[in-house]
Amino acid sequence: MARSRPVVVLEFNELSPALMERFLGEGALPRFRRLRDASQAFVTEAEERYPYLEPWVQWLTVHSGMNYREHGVHHLGEGHRVRAKRVWDVLSDHGYASWICGSMNAGLASPLRGAILPDPWSPAVEPRPRELAAYFDFVSAMVHGHASGGGLAARRALRFAAFMAGHGLGAPTVAGVAAQLVEERLAARRGLDAGWKRACVLDQLQLDLFRSLWLRDRPDFATFFSNSTAHFQHWHWRNLEPERFQVKPTAREQASYAGAVRHGYERMDRLVGEVLDFCGDDAVVVLCTALSQQPCLVYEDEGGRVNYRPRELRAFLARAGVAGVLAAEPVMDEQFRIRFAGEPEAERGLARLSALSTGGRGLMVVRRQGTELLAGCAVHEPVPAGARVAGEGLDVPFEELLFRLPGMKSGMHHPDGLLWIRVPGCAPRVHPEKVALDRVAPTLLGLFGLPPAATMRGAPLELPRPGRRRVAA
């Protein structure tokens, strides 16, 4: 049968075109340069603006070709509710196999030919094949537990280690984990923080898994998602360029985080090099960021923006009098999702949380969708000493229920994104005009000679056509 060249999409969330150019110019990103200098290089532009400029909105656009006004999803973990076909659904319908590794707000509209590892905030999407559950369960617990100060069960960690041992865990990654733990201890002795670098270790673990399944199954289409550098930009752009912010980081914060953003780009540069090496010269390699970031200066006159989260989610809900909870899990930053058995229970939970207050203002922002609540703390400025939380039958110190997440918001979203497409054997070109983000999905299908799905409104980009290769039937 005739088969297209494999397509590998690196989904590096929210990398900034401006920072990319800066670090490329400084010679810090040789593998990114290698990819860009062999690619059709575009800048994409998302249609949406605040409050709909969010990665879980725009990644759904990348995968489905639908903008927010069409898909209607505004929250993380809700992508599975969209029944329109994604790129991998269309490919499955035509007999192509995919390996979807961590793509944000993913879902399935057709039986998938291949494998899918959901992002850690999408518990409603099951990993396929089921062997991937060991990885998904561990990473989800680590991401959510790290954010709330919790630990991980030893049994889950052992299951994860056994899984990775059989799915590509490399000696360099093991050495990197050990070095990270040592660095954290040494930093702690000096009163500094090095734990933020764990996000890069997780990237490397996921790349080991991605490589293992890619080499084993040789899928026609694959995606690899990373959020680490986006996180660094959100919380540490202030440390990268303190001169741009009114609220200056402390000396201790600078000692810990001054190099965080640059470190993220450099670690992603290594990932790019590894992917280019194991995919070889025959693969079409795509870098897509969906959107980007810029310095967040809009809260500086207010002293900066901070976030708070319940210390222990179940205990917090119990203290607030929220009953009938089936499941509760953190989402992103201050937000968390609660699932109930029925809509009456969810409505009562909404009333209880909405009644909470601190300092004469509402404590929570809560939205109900059917039997679920999406909630988060509405306080985004430093809470004064002695602040209390009041509610129905409740009057307790603020710090007894909630804690402040580390850092202060420093990066905010920007609609521009990077799109580099390396087509083997074709001359590279930098395209000066911006292109609409909803054209990415049709373009990816065009690499296989397939027309867009009916719900994909954007026109595919005009690219040099990759050659085709012959494989045995």
Side-chain angles (χ1 to χ4, degrees), residues 72-94:
V73 169
H74 182 39
H75 295 288
L76 187 55
E78 297 181 354
H80 65 283
R81 294 174 176 163
V82 175
R83 304 314 303 166
K85 291 184 181 296
R86 275 75 156 180
V87 170
W88 49 81
D89 294 310
V90 177
L91 292 174
S92 293
D93 292 345
H94 286 82

Side-chain angles (χ1 to χ4, degrees), residues 4 8 48 52 69-70 85 98 106 118 129 148 162 181 205 239 250 285 308 324 331 339 362 369 371 385 423 428:
S4 294
V8 177
E48 293 77 21
Y52 305 114
R69 68 179 185 277
E70 297 160 320
K85 291 184 181 296
S98 298
S148 61
L181 297 176
L205 286 165
N239 307 104
T250 66
V285 178
Y308 292 89
V331 181
R339 286 182 282 139
Q369 185 168 22
T371 61
V423 182

Side-chain angles (χ1 to χ4, degrees), residues 110-175:
S110 302
L112 180 69
R113 184 185 292 265
I116 182 169
L117 175 70
D119 70 73
W121 301 276
S122 295
V125 181
E126 292 187 3
R128 304 182 188 186
R130 284 299 301 165
E131 64 183 294
L132 294 176
Y135 184 95
F136 177 79
D137 292 345
F138 175 84
V139 171
S140 297
M142 184 168 70
V143 168
H144 300 154
H146 173 69
S148 61
L152 298 175
R155 185 171 61 182
R156 179 180 283 143
L158 289 173
R159 182 183 176 214
F160 171 78
F163 170 83
M164 286 302 303
H167 291 81
L169 180 64
T173 304
V174 175

